[in-house]
Amino acid sequence: MKRQKVSVDRELCYGSAECVHRAPAVFEFVDGFGVVRPGHEQSGDAPEIREAAEKCPSQAISITDAADTADTASAPDRP
């Protein structure tokens, strides 16, 4: 099974904290925005993460195949 990467787009997030409520082990609230906790970026295949992404009111949570993001440079979720 492919690993799934989870990320939060800070441009879309408006700070509802719904992700933190649904999956506090993976998401946290920093400076008014939801972020993925360090070391949990590859948690996208967990059911609670999929639910958090589906229920995010701003649709700021993305789940992608880890292989799809391996070749692209990306900014960290943290400020």
Side-chain angles (χ1 to χ4, degrees):
M1 183 162 117
K2 278 187 172 181
R3 296 292 300 179
Q4 300 283 297
K5 180 179 177 175
V6 61
S7 60
V8 177
D9 184 335
R10 289 192 56 139
E11 295 292 317
L12 295 176
C13 179
Y14 57 74
S16 72
E18 191 66 31
C19 57
V20 178
H21 170 72
R22 293 184 184 280
V26 174
F27 298 100
E28 63 183 323
F29 206 58
V30 176
D31 295 331
F33 299 97
V35 297
V36 178
R37 291 181 179 273
H40 293 278
E41 296 85 0
Q42 303 299 321
S43 301
D45 51 348
E48 64 271 17
I49 304 311
R50 293 205 171 276
E51 180 181 350
E54 290 170 10
K55 302 292 184 181
C56 176
S58 62
Q59 297 298 293
I61 300 171
S62 295
I63 299 172
T64 58
D65 288 339
D68 291 347
T69 59
D71 295 329
T72 60
S74 62
D77 287 334
R78 296 183 146 261

